[in-house]
Amino acid sequence: AQRVTQPEKLLSVFKGAPVELKCNYSYSGSPELFWYVQYSRQRLQLLLRHISRESIKGFTADLNKGETSFHLKKPFAQEEDSAMYYCALNGAGRRALTFGSGTRLQVQP
Amino acid sequence: GAGVSQTPSNKVTEKGKYVELRCDPISGHTALYWYRQSLGQGPEFLIYFQGTGAADDSGLPNDRFFAVRPEGSVSTLKIQRTERGDSAVYLCASSFDRADEQFFGPGTRLTVL
């Protein structure tokens, strides 16, 4: 079985502060991990995927197989980063994504 | 181009009724997915189509739920004998092929009274 855990429902930081959104997963094989974001009144969209190893909007995420984590990080939060963030996993060649319950990021001015 | 569209955007029905939710994927996308998102939760997989066939329907909760994609484009999710627990946002996503990024629609909010 595959499972994604996002322990924080809400993360509130001030503008310019570092951000780390936690994601832990449970999967016995080699998963593919994603971060999706949903801004207010917008649809869910892909932020980044671990195989791309890229930085999007200043966000990065590193897959740590030893700790089974895929935390999302940004060194300096911006107000426009305020949104709902979902970590997702795709395993064993399945195309269906398993999502975590999401973390709401609030960046205060 | 146009993204994934879903109709209706909102649907209110009574317990026991039948509902159909429609998804129009991005043109040319062969893969189509349905997810359900309950309040305070992440999306939960229901069914995945590759072309016209359901390649994975392991997420359908019971036999009241059924989905079709007869021509490999538009898909309809059908729920029979709706229950209050079916109330959720139903999301559709499509991708160019199995390995590609999934693009999500705006969702249909279903409320069963």
Side-chain angles (χ1 to χ4, degrees):
Chain A
Q2 48 195 52
R3 185 180 178 90
V4 176
T5 302
Q6 294 180 250
E8 303 143 326
K9 283 199 176 300
L10 173 66
L11 183 63
S12 185
V13 302
F14 287 103
K15 177 182 172 183
V19 169
E20 182 177 66
L21 300 171
K22 292 184 166 49
C23 172
N24 288 90
Y25 67 90
S26 173
Y27 182 68
S28 57
S30 294
E32 189 173 1
L33 274 296
F34 306 81
W35 277 98
Y36 277 80
V37 61
Q38 188 166 25
Y39 300 101
S40 179
R41 290 184 291 279
Q42 294 188 27
R43 59 187 69 188
L44 198 60
Q45 59 185 282
L46 179 66
L47 179 62
L48 55 81
R49 57 201 306 177
H50 89 270
I51 59 172
S52 300
R53 300 186 65 81
E54 56 190 347
S55 173
I56 303 294
K57 299 184 179 183
F59 285 97
T60 59
D62 290 317
L63 178 59
N64 185 322
K65 292 187 178 180
E67 296 183 358
T68 60
S69 68
F70 188 56
H71 303 326
L72 184 67
K73 301 177 183 180
K74 184 169 183 175
F76 307 103
Q78 303 299 314
E79 289 181 66
E80 56 265 30
D81 296 329
S82 296
M84 197 74 189
Y85 291 80
Y86 295 95
C87 182
L89 175 155
N90 184 321
R94 293 185 72 209
R95 301 325 302 172
L97 294 168
T98 297
F99 285 87
S101 56
T103 298
R104 179 168 298 283
L105 175 64
Q106 285 182 346
V107 181
Q108 300 182 55
Chain B
V4 177
S5 62
Q6 293 185 245
T7 55
S9 55
N10 282 283
K11 176 71 177 178
V12 180
T13 191
E14 294 178 342
K15 180 175 178 294
K17 299 290 188 182
Y18 168 82
V19 297
E20 290 189 352
L21 312 180
R22 177 187 168 108
C23 172
D24 280 86
I26 293 172
S27 177
H29 280 194
T30 60
L32 185 145
Y33 312 79
W34 283 99
Y35 294 85
R36 176 170 70 172
Q37 186 170 21
S38 300
L39 194 62
Q41 300 298 315
E44 176 188 23
F45 169 72
L46 295 176
I47 186 170
Y48 153 58
F49 288 89
Q50 183 62 43
T52 60
D56 183 352
D57 64 357
S58 62
L60 294 177
N62 52 59
D63 61 5
R64 294 187 297 107
F65 288 75
F66 189 69
V68 295
R69 195 186 184 198
E71 298 178 358
S73 178
V74 170
S75 176
T76 304
L77 178 66
K78 307 180 181 195
I79 310 174
Q80 298 178 320
R81 304 183 302 281
T82 52
E83 299 177 357
R84 293 194 180 87
D86 299 335
S87 296
V89 175
Y90 288 80
L91 296 169
C92 177
S94 70
S95 63
F96 182 68
D97 63 23
R98 294 175 67 244
D100 203 16
E101 174 185 349
Q102 294 183 26
F103 292 85
F104 281 81
T108 292
R109 182 176 297 279
L110 175 67
T111 303
V112 182
L113 300 177

